[in-house]
Amino acid sequence: MRPMTTPRPCNPVTLEIIRGAIRAAQAEMEALIERTAMSAFIREKKDFYTALFDADGVMAVGSNVPVFGDICGPVFRDFPIETIREGDLYWYNDCYGSRGAVSHSNDQVFLAPVFLDGKRVAFVMGWAHFADIGGLRAGSISPDATEIFHEGVIIPPTLLIRDGTVNQAALSIFYRNSRYPRTAQGDTRALMASVELGVARMQEIAANFGADVLADALAQLLARTRDTVRGRLMETFPIGTHRFTDRIDGDGHGSGPLRLRFALTRTPDDRLILDASETDDQSVGPVNFLMNPDVPGMALGLYFLGGDPTQVVNAGGPRSLDEVILREGSLLFPRFPAALGMRGLTMMRMLAALNGLVSVAGGEAPAAHAAYVIMLLRGTIGGKHFLMSDGLGVGYGARGFADGIDGVYFVAQENYPVEFLETEYPVRLREYGLNIDSGGPGRFRGGCGIVREYEVMAEESILAVRLDGVENPPWGAAGGQSGRPGRVVLNPGLPNERVLKPLSDGNRVVRGDILRIETGGGGGRGHPFDRPAEAVLEDVLGGLISAGSARADYGVVITGRAIDEAATEALRANRPATLAFHRGSYADALD
């Protein structure tokens, strides 16, 4: 006779109901931020996230964004969890004080506990990128920054609301440090309202099912994610050490290329250890990425959970790894007060490097993606200062079963619509479309970047740009070729044409100047000659690749709007040799 087991407080059916209810609450919080925030980067770009945590502050349900670390820990360090009260609201943006839970200072975290009948049952968080918080340049991020003090005001964990009283003095200091205080005020109110809504929804869920059932449901979601991710890591990585190196072009201050070196070891007793200690030293410029130790597991979790509607992204991903080793003073663990504002391009290389680890181990992770591009145009028009912060989409790497995605900014974030740009800022859009031939050739083509061409309408302004992958484009895998690089050009095709440094600030532009930004594509996967000729023709007709690329890269000859089958067969008979990876040329391993 089998021994009787004690049933868990939350049964499988109730677990799925609670999972759906929590995701609905999270989505409602995000919708409120989107509809009430004032800054374009939040309202239009959708650079915001929410998350829900258990009673101990462990993330139970998060957005599908692999850059979160231990969000609650920094608050608990300064405000012990047993002292936290119902109605409290906590706030911070301190990157170093949070050990990378926030990775650049524009990102603000608002965190509140949830109580039911006097018992703490959860925490909720709202997070968003604020347009300007002071610092060296408008927008608070600049390639010129060399220390974090250049990047705006730093807020350590702060008790913002207690017993219904708002710490207005703290908010006044924050607003006073912004060049656009009304926008900062509106965004703060939006985040505070979102968190208040999340608290109410979690209280309703706890009241409907009971605190014990909710606690068990959150524990089961954590365990399910951990077990799933760990199981898939074990399936992918045999015993031994697997290594991958990726690199960024530089920091805009003369350093580069800068290498990210990862090693994942599975020991004979099935411990999983991720070691990034051999990554290059931190940089002078603002491309350092203060990577919280939870981030690699979160990123791997997002990859392995992709496409599974029964799973949620949470702290189970980080718990699937037994150890993460970082070296203080490196690009991924810089020493205070190194600048962090442009950390996005290093973060994107980090995500690609983790895909590379999976590929080295024999998995079919996507080829590398390009790092999304940032531009900041600052100036005056009609006597008023303006700040145009635009983030531009890029091409993502080809997958083992499909082409890469075209024109993606980052996860669920969006490219600005043309109508919005022309209404809000002194620019006219002359061209907006996909960047032809930017996707890496392969059996599955890398995604294409985009082209934006602006005519500047302000009398005079200053431009900052952040673009990577010009010298070290996103790699291709399994015979696929690397994505093609982007570029930034002022007045293309005119006598005063000027190619701008891809990571630079202080670029002067005047009324009538044409600014053209071409973003890079993702790497391809599989031999390009294995791509069906009909798919190549479709790409040519669709404006994704040129007839010249079809011939040179894919061995497909297009005449008019049709395939020259005889010429194609002759070309493809001379099949070029390939190796495991490609970044400008083929190699068995990247360095």
Side-chain angles (χ1 to χ4, degrees):
M1 183 182 241
R2 291 184 178 177
M4 298 269 308
T5 58
T6 303
R8 299 195 65 147
C10 183
N11 62 54
V13 174
T14 303
L15 176 63
E16 295 308 308
I17 294 172
I18 290 176
R19 182 178 66 84
I22 292 171
R23 290 305 298 262
Q26 181 191 22
E28 190 177 2
M29 290 174 66
E30 293 188 343
L32 191 152
I33 296 172
E34 179 183 351
R35 293 171 184 173
T36 60
M38 289 186 65
S39 66
F41 229 74
I42 300 176
R43 189 182 72 247
E44 300 290 337
K45 183 65 65 180
K46 315 264 189 303
D47 198 347
F48 58 81
Y49 307 103
T50 61
L52 308 171
F53 307 80
D54 69 12
D56 296 320
V58 179
M59 185 185 290
V61 179
S63 298
N64 290 344
V65 179
V67 295
F68 285 130
D70 177 10
I71 293 288
C72 296
V75 172
F76 299 162
R77 182 199 61 217
D78 293 351
F79 301 92
I81 193 169
E82 62 272 11
T83 69
I84 290 176
R85 300 183 198 169
E86 186 170 5
D88 284 357
L89 179 66
Y90 298 87
W91 165 41
Y92 69 87
N93 77 339
D94 189 343
C95 302
Y96 286 96
S98 68
R99 184 52 191 90
V102 171
S103 56
H104 73 178
S105 298
N106 291 74
D107 297 339
Q108 310 296 313
V109 168
F110 288 76
L111 181 75
V114 180
F115 284 79
L116 180 68
D117 299 328
K119 179 180 179 180
R120 189 181 67 251
V121 295
F123 287 86
V124 302
M125 178 206 75
W127 175 105
H129 176 109
F130 278 46
D132 182 89
I133 59 167
L136 184 67
R137 300 276 191 272
S140 307
I141 53 176
S142 168
D144 286 349
T146 56
E147 57 183 35
I148 197 168
F149 297 112
H150 292 159
E151 298 172 342
V153 63
I154 299 172
I155 310 297
T158 299
L159 179 54
L160 190 58
I161 298 178
R162 170 150 283 185
D163 298 330
T165 300
V166 179
N167 187 342
Q168 291 292 351
L171 288 175
S172 295
I173 294 169
F174 180 62
Y175 300 148
R176 185 62 172 166
N177 277 272
S178 175
R179 296 171 178 85
Y180 305 95
R182 289 190 59 195
T183 299
Q185 290 170 10
D187 292 345
T188 299
R189 288 194 293 267
L191 272 182
M192 291 170 69
S194 172
V195 170
E196 184 178 359
L197 175 63
V199 169
R201 292 293 180 261
M202 286 300 287
Q203 284 177 333
E204 292 170 2
I205 294 169
N208 285 339
F209 296 97
D212 292 342
V213 173
L214 175 61
D216 187 51
L218 298 182
Q220 288 190 52
L221 290 175
L222 282 164
R224 185 162 76 182
T225 297
R226 177 197 177 276
D227 292 346
T228 300
V229 175
R230 189 171 178 85
R232 292 177 183 172
L233 283 167
M234 293 295 181
E235 292 171 2
T236 302
F237 291 91
I239 291 172
T241 298
H242 312 270
R243 301 180 184 277
F244 192 83
T245 299
D246 211 338
R247 57 193 185 188
I248 63 174
D249 290 347
D251 68 347
H253 291 257
S255 298
L258 298 169
R259 290 172 171 80
L260 289 74
R261 297 183 177 92
F262 287 88
L264 195 148
T265 298
R266 177 180 171 186
T267 65
D269 58 347
D270 284 342
R271 294 188 76 242
L272 293 169
I273 303 167
L274 183 76
D275 187 348
S277 62
E278 294 184 4
T279 290
D280 283 354
D281 291 345
Q282 68 188 64
S283 72
V284 173
V287 299
N288 301 289
F289 175 39
L290 183 60
M291 185 175 74
N292 189 276
D294 281 358
V295 166
M298 194 72 75
L300 289 167
L302 185 62
Y303 165 69
F304 283 115
L305 297 175
D308 187 343
T310 68
Q311 297 286 352
V312 293
V313 175
N314 58 33
R319 292 181 175 190
S320 67
L321 297 174
D322 295 288
E323 186 177 2
V324 174
I325 301 171
L326 301 171
R327 177 176 60 86
E328 188 175 9
S330 72
L331 193 66
L332 297 177
F333 191 1
R335 292 187 179 94
F336 179 83
L340 308 172
M342 294 284 180
R343 69 23 175 160
L345 63 87
T346 305
M347 177 187 73
M348 296 299 281
R349 284 302 102 222
M350 176 273 298
L351 297 174
L354 292 175
N355 284 347
L357 273 179
V358 173
S359 295
V360 165
E364 285 198 341
H369 46 265
Y372 57 89
V373 175
I374 297 292
M375 66 87 77
L376 297 100
L377 190 67
R378 319 175 187 96
T380 58
I381 186 166
K384 293 184 178 180
H385 292 279
F386 72 90
L387 168 64
M388 175 182 161
S389 299
D390 196 1
L392 283 73
V394 294
Y396 270 53
R399 297 156 285 180
F401 58 91
D403 294 342
I405 304 171
D406 304 310
V408 178
Y409 177 64
F410 182 54
V411 190
Q413 297 173 5
E414 298 179 3
N415 295 298
Y416 285 152
V418 172
E419 296 83 359
F420 167 77
L421 279 172
E422 293 189 342
T423 301
E424 291 290 319
Y425 303 114
V427 295
R428 178 180 296 129
L429 266 291
R430 292 163 49 98
E431 182 179 345
Y432 178 32
L434 293 177
N435 187 9
I436 190 170
D437 287 339
S438 58
R443 163 65 182 88
F444 295 108
R445 174 184 48 78
C448 290
I450 67 172
V451 174
R452 277 218 202 252
E453 191 170 279
Y454 315 81
E455 180 180 352
V456 178
M457 311 299 289
E459 290 303 319
E460 187 169 352
S461 49
I462 298 297
L463 172 71
V465 292
R466 190 204 77 192
L467 184 147
D468 189 57
V470 176
E471 298 174 8
N472 300 277
W475 44 267
Q481 296 182 17
S482 53
R484 298 338 190 206
R487 64 176 190 152
V488 182
V489 187
L490 201 60
N491 298 314
L494 299 176
N496 58 341
E497 175 178 316
R498 179 160 55 106
V499 177
L500 303 183
K501 292 182 180 180
L503 190 60
S504 62
D505 205 340
N507 300 291
R508 180 175 175 267
V509 294
V510 299
R511 183 179 180 88
D513 276 346
I514 305 301
L515 173 65
R516 182 178 179 87
I517 302 180
E518 302 170 359
T519 73
R525 189 171 184 91
H527 198 299
F529 279 26
D530 290 334
R531 187 170 182 81
E534 293 76 12
V536 176
L537 174 62
E538 185 176 341
D539 283 347
V540 171
L541 297 179
L544 300 174
I545 68 173
S546 65
S549 174
R551 183 186 188 102
D553 298 318
Y554 293 91
V556 176
V557 180
I558 308 293
T559 302
R561 298 177 61 86
I563 300 167
D564 185 328
E565 294 186 3
T568 296
E569 183 178 355
L571 267 183
R572 287 191 160 186
N574 297 313
R575 183 184 178 92
T578 65
L579 295 173
F581 296 101
H582 183 278
R583 183 167 54 207
S585 60
Y586 285 107
D588 283 322
L590 300 179
D591 61 10

